Amino acid sequence: MTAKLEIRDVHKSYGDKVVLDGMSFDVDEHEVVCLIGPSGSGKSTLLRCIDLLDPLDAGSIRLDGIDITARNTDANAVRRRVGIVFQSYNLFPHLSVLDNCTLGPRRALGVDRKSADAKARELLERFGLGDKVEEYPNRISGGQNQRAAIVRALMADPEILLLDEVTSALDPELVGEVLGVIRELAGRGMTMLLATHEMGFARDVADRVCFLHEGRVLEDAPPSQLFGSPQHERTAQFLRRVRDAGRI
Amino acid sequence: MSAPDPQPSGLPGGLPRRRSFFQSTADMLRQEGARAGIIAVVSTVVFFGGGFLLVVNSPNWPRVRDQFFNPEDFRESWPDVLDGFWLNIELFVYSMLTIPVVALIVAVMRSLRGPAFFPIRLLAVIYTDIFRGIPLILLILLLGFGVPALDIDGLPNSSTFWGMVALVLSYSAYTAEIYRSGIDAVPESQRSSARALGLTQWQSLRFAILPQAIRNVVPALMNTVVSLQKDVALIAVLGVRDAVREAQIYTTRTFNYTSYVVAAVLFLALSIPLTRFVDWYVARDRAQRSQTLV
Ligand SMILES: Nc1ncnc2c1ncn2[C@@H]1O[C@H](COP(=O)(O)OP(=O)(O)O)[C@@H](O)[C@H]1O
Ligand SMILES: [Mg+2]
């Protein structure tokens, strides 16, 4: 059986700077994979490349066995199957929470307003934003923004959800509510690939953890093994540093 | 006074209460306070009164007064100049409605990405370079006299029309740059987010980027309107009988310049309220923007 998402020997540079240097790993259906690694190790770049927001230099990314980085791919069709949420939630400031959620389905998928609204209200309700439906992004908290951004990404029923350090821009007391949402999604079997600095959360929720170093996957293991007995000195070093910074 | 209210003029939700234009002007005067008010009045009287006396007592004042501020000539030239001024207003309104549209199209053409759109981008760049590079008065002369002289079938033949086209082309080139700065000011991540939802490039612009961009530049656009209102007077170089041209005709006939003052008064009557309104609007806009929670 092929994996849901296959990253194969992916290369990407910005100018002289090599960011992804032969990265490979898989994400199976219903699996939650966490990407950890020092900042600058290419986590965000990889996620952007998977959603075809940035082109690869070499290598391939396969979704259900089909290469989505091939030249003749319909990028918009891929983006509808893959959801992504960014660190700085990026809700559209001129639209209400509801309209933020329905913009994609209505314009990209041609869903009519009524059913898009109904679906958005239901999802927002489920993630505790039932009373913020009509609010504008600058009138709600960062945590609420980020939860709304997750709902927005879920509106198209993505087959896989990419999350890029979705709690890093939040005040500490708001982190929990967003992690709660991700935990619920994991519980429902959502396939997810997430870059995170929340090691405790990764240990809890991930099926596998990939440690990235200099554009490669240096270590790919279940959380108990990667956090308990890392095989590489680099991984151990990184974990020590994170631990010293009080992030575990 | 009781405990300090963190937002004295705010509604419970934190939004600034909407102040009408007149209310806020009155507020401004009230805030100056009584003592400050007296000082302001006295210094204003001294300053302007002094200036007035200086002018009135200058040796040539009686002659200047008769030539520029003659009540009889004022009355006599008023109807014709006013008649011409309606043409200025007409030009102003038509171009004010056209410019934002043309400019937006140019700005959008220029911000399309990808190699396929290169020719469109190039076209937009050439357009802005050319029409920003030619002085407006020259452009009005070239189009206003040039195109009617070509006498092309199916094209309007009036100088007024082509003068207005010149005005629109030139102002649209500037306004397109204003839009573009507004588009550039929208964070790149907003574009990524829109594309990530599966929206096409055009949909991303239309639904995610442009609404923010336009909101960013409304104050700048309004200032352009103020200067457009004055530049419609340049149409006079075509001999079109607008306010300035009518004033000129009167002067040639009577050797009296009061008609120019009439024209100036008419333009001021329009531009002062307009400028006050724009200033008020921009200040309100700034206040609203600084009132966000995040
Ligand atoms: N658009 C870009 N242009 C140039 N360099 C970039 C760009 N995006 C990312 N980089 C560089 O790529 C490297 C990896 O960045 P990133 O993928 O954001 O890492 P991470 O998310 O792991 O912190 C960084 O050194 C960053 O400076
Ligand atoms: Mg990152």
Side-chain angles (χ1 to χ4, degrees), chain A residues 14 17 19 38-45:
Chain A
Y14 289 110
K17 174 138 183 65
V19 180
S39 82
S41 57
K43 303 181 291 293
S44 302
T45 304

Side-chain angles (χ1 to χ4, degrees), chain B:
Chain B
M1 229 177 103
S2 59
D5 182 352
Q7 280 175 326
S9 68
L11 295 173
L15 266 187
R17 185 183 296 150
R18 294 216 164 182
R19 311 293 286 156
S20 81
F21 170 66
F22 296 104
Q23 270 173 318
S24 58
T25 311
D27 280 357
M28 197 177 75
L29 290 178
R30 202 172 310 127
Q31 277 161 16
E32 299 279 330
R35 201 182 122 80
I38 292 168
I39 295 178
V41 167
V42 170
S43 74
T44 307
V45 167
V46 169
F47 183 77
F48 286 102
F52 179 74
L53 288 178
L54 208 67
V55 170
V56 168
N57 288 322
S58 70
N60 284 333
W61 170 245
R63 228 176 52 224
V64 171
R65 187 189 52 203
D66 285 346
Q67 289 213 312
F68 285 86
F69 300 100
N70 189 321
E72 241 152 70
D73 288 295
F74 197 100
R75 228 172 296 125
E76 203 179 319
S77 62
W78 173 267
D80 285 345
V81 178
L82 181 63
D83 243 17
F85 189 62
W86 290 120
L87 178 65
N88 292 106
I89 291 195
E90 207 178 320
L91 283 171
F92 171 55
V93 170
Y94 284 144
S95 16
M96 188 177 63
L97 296 177
T98 321
I99 291 163
V101 179
V102 176
L104 186 60
I105 293 171
V106 175
V108 166
M109 284 167 63
R110 200 161 172 182
S111 53
L112 290 176
R113 295 185 185 178
F117 293 110
F118 178 76
I120 291 183
R121 281 199 300 274
L122 185 68
L123 205 67
V125 172
I126 293 175
Y127 173 87
T128 33
D129 278 5
I130 288 184
F131 290 106
R132 274 200 320 168
I134 304 176
L136 179 53
I137 191 162
L138 257 180
L139 200 61
I140 290 177
L141 286 168
L142 283 171
L143 290 188
F145 287 135
V147 181
L150 291 175
D151 203 13
I152 299 171
D153 271 351
L155 280 190
N157 234 335
S158 99
S159 289
T160 316
F161 176 82
W162 289 105
M164 189 183 92
V165 169
L167 205 62
V168 168
L169 288 175
S170 176
Y171 263 81
S172 296
Y174 281 100
T175 309
E177 291 299 285
I178 295 178
Y179 278 126
R180 202 162 67 95
S181 71
I183 292 173
D184 288 348
V186 177
E188 183 60 31
S189 56
Q190 289 280 319
R191 201 184 276 246
S192 293
S193 291
R195 299 307 303 273
L197 293 176
L199 300 178
T200 63
Q201 178 170 208
W202 163 244
Q203 287 174 325
S204 303
L205 262 176
R206 161 79 180 74
F207 298 112
I209 310 300
L210 286 181
Q212 300 182 52
I214 291 173
R215 179 117 219 314
N216 287 341
V217 299
V218 165
L221 291 181
M222 294 182 58
N223 280 309
T224 317
V225 170
V226 172
S227 81
L228 172 71
Q229 190 266 143
K230 287 172 297 178
D231 278 351
V232 289
L234 289 172
I235 199 93
V237 297
L238 296 177
V240 171
R241 297 184 72 158
D242 78 327
V244 178
R245 184 68 188 146
E246 289 290 356
Q248 217 168 15
I249 291 170
Y250 184 86
T251 302
T252 324
R253 190 155 54 79
T254 61
F255 301 104
N256 184 288
Y257 296 101
T258 304
S259 54
Y260 284 131
V261 174
V262 171
V265 166
L266 286 170
F267 275 97
L268 280 176
L270 188 60
S271 71
I272 289 182
L274 196 61
T275 315
R276 292 294 95 225
F277 172 75
V278 169
D279 282 2
W280 167 78
Y281 182 89
V282 170
R284 196 192 67 160
D285 183 70
R286 191 172 304 142
Q288 272 176 355
R289 275 158 180 265
S290 61
Q291 283 248 345
T292 53
L293 289 180
V294 175

